[in-house]
């Protein structure tokens, strides 16, 4: 099992100060508190970039959602606070011993019969799992993509391969007004995110990731771009 979770955001901040990016080993300017918003933004950006590229970042499963007969939504327990997006759903009657996979659709069609006994399809719409009503209570099994929590300094890292990307990204966003530091950190951030995507995609077709170079004449950094 990987030991990456032994590292914390405080380690990220220490390395961002010490490895020649921010050059602030004594934390005179870049304290942990000052770096936390930049680290948190980098953390969120990496999640969004991976999600946009179709890479399963942090997924998990749960069997506690339920469906009550004649409802038009599936209920996700309030204790599930990290739901970003459902990926797959299965249904079964309580007494059954097997699960039937439901089909995800973009637009639910009108029901063809009034006494449906299975759900068959589902749609993710405005933060709700919508279905066509059926006449039977259902147990639901769901695989979903998590929304990782806003980090604290003492929080351990969430997934493998993120550490060096967080270090460089935190330094990049913290170094406002220091173009030479941002250029160096941005290049390191590019390389680290590319490695991260290869780790997470594993046997999938490689996704190329590119960040445009620092604009010396305009003094502004161009946002992330993705090429598949």
């Amino acid at each position: 099992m990987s030991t990456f979770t032994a590292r914390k955001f405080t380690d990220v901040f220490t390395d961002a100060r010490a490895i020649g990016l921010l050059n602030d080993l004594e934390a005179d300017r870049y304290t942990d508190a000052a770096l936390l918003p930049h680290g948190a933004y980098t953390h969120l950006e990496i999640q969004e970039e991976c999600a946009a590229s179709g890479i399963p970042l942090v997924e998990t499963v749960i069997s506690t959602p339920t469906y009550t007969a004649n409802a038009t939504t599936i209920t996700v327990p309030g204790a599930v606070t990290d739901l970003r997006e459902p990926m797959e759903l299965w249904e079964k009657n309580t007494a059954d011993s097997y699960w039937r996979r439901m089909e995800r659709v973009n637009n639910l069609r009108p029901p063809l019969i009034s006494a449906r006994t299975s759900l068959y399809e589902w749609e993710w719409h405005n933060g709700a799992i919508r279905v066509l009503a059926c006449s039977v209570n259902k147990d639901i099994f769901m695989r979903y993509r998590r929304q990782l929590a806003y980090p604290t300094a003492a929080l351990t890292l969430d997934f493998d391969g993120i550490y060096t990307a967080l270090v460089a990204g935190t330094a990049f966003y913290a170094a406002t007004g220091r173009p030479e530091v941002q250029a160096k950190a941005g290049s390191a951030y590019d390389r680290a995110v590319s490695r991260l995507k290869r780790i997470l995609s594993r046997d999938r077709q490689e996704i190329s990731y590119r960040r445009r170079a620092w604009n010396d004449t305009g003094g502004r950094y161009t946002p992330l771009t993705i090429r598949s």
Side-chain angles (χ1 to χ4, degrees):
M1 182 176 180
S2 174
T3 59
F4 72 93
T5 53
R7 292 185 172 181
K8 301 179 180 181
F9 275 80
T10 50
D11 300 317
V12 171
F13 303 153
T14 298
D15 277 348
R17 289 188 293 257
I19 63 175
L21 293 175
L22 296 177
N23 295 317
D24 186 23
L25 187 59
E26 301 301 323
D28 295 325
R29 177 179 179 182
Y30 298 104
T31 63
D32 286 357
L35 290 178
L36 179 58
H38 303 295
Y41 184 85
T42 303
H43 186 241
L44 177 61
E45 182 176 64
I46 291 171
Q47 292 181 62
E48 292 179 344
E49 288 297 325
C50 289
S53 299
I55 295 176
L57 186 59
V58 177
E59 296 179 1
T60 190
V61 296
I62 188 171
S63 59
T64 53
T66 57
Y67 173 78
T68 303
N70 301 313
T72 55
T73 59
I74 290 174
T75 301
V76 178
V80 179
T81 59
D82 61 351
L83 174 61
R84 180 180 182 127
E85 180 185 9
M87 305 299 294
E88 294 178 320
L89 291 173
W90 289 262
E91 63 172 309
K92 77 177 184 70
N93 297 334
T94 301
D96 290 347
S97 58
Y98 67 93
W99 296 91
R100 177 185 293 111
R101 190 176 186 274
M102 299 169 60
E103 179 184 0
R104 179 172 184 170
V105 297
N106 291 326
N107 294 287
L108 284 174
R109 58 174 175 77
L112 299 180
I113 56 177
S114 58
R116 294 159 52 95
T117 58
S118 292
L119 294 170
Y120 300 112
E121 300 170 332
W122 63 280
E123 176 186 19
W124 178 242
H125 182 74
N126 289 339
I129 304 173
R130 297 175 54 190
V131 294
L132 299 177
C134 84
S135 59
V136 182
N137 294 340
K138 296 287 183 178
D139 294 336
I140 303 295
F141 184 84
M142 177 173 69
R143 182 172 67 89
Y144 70 94
R145 178 174 290 133
R146 297 175 55 206
Q147 174 64 59
L148 301 180
Y150 189 95
T152 63
L155 187 70
T156 53
L157 302 189
D158 309 284
F159 54 94
D160 208 352
I162 193 177
Y163 187 78
T164 54
L166 272 175
V167 170
T170 299
F172 168 73
Y173 286 112
T176 302
R178 299 175 63 188
E180 74 290 349
V181 175
Q182 282 199 313
K184 182 177 180 180
S187 178
Y189 191 22
D190 278 349
R191 295 192 299 271
V193 173
S194 294
R195 288 194 300 269
L196 171 62
K197 287 192 173 186
R198 287 195 293 271
I199 290 172
L200 296 178
S201 61
R202 300 192 189 279
D203 60 343
R204 297 186 178 200
Q205 181 177 359
E206 181 174 333
I207 297 172
S208 105
Y209 174 91
R210 179 174 62 89
R211 185 191 290 267
R212 293 181 185 176
W214 179 265
N215 185 343
D216 291 324
T217 57
R220 187 177 64 181
Y221 197 77
T222 306
L224 298 170
T225 59
I226 297 294
R227 296 183 303 174
S228 56

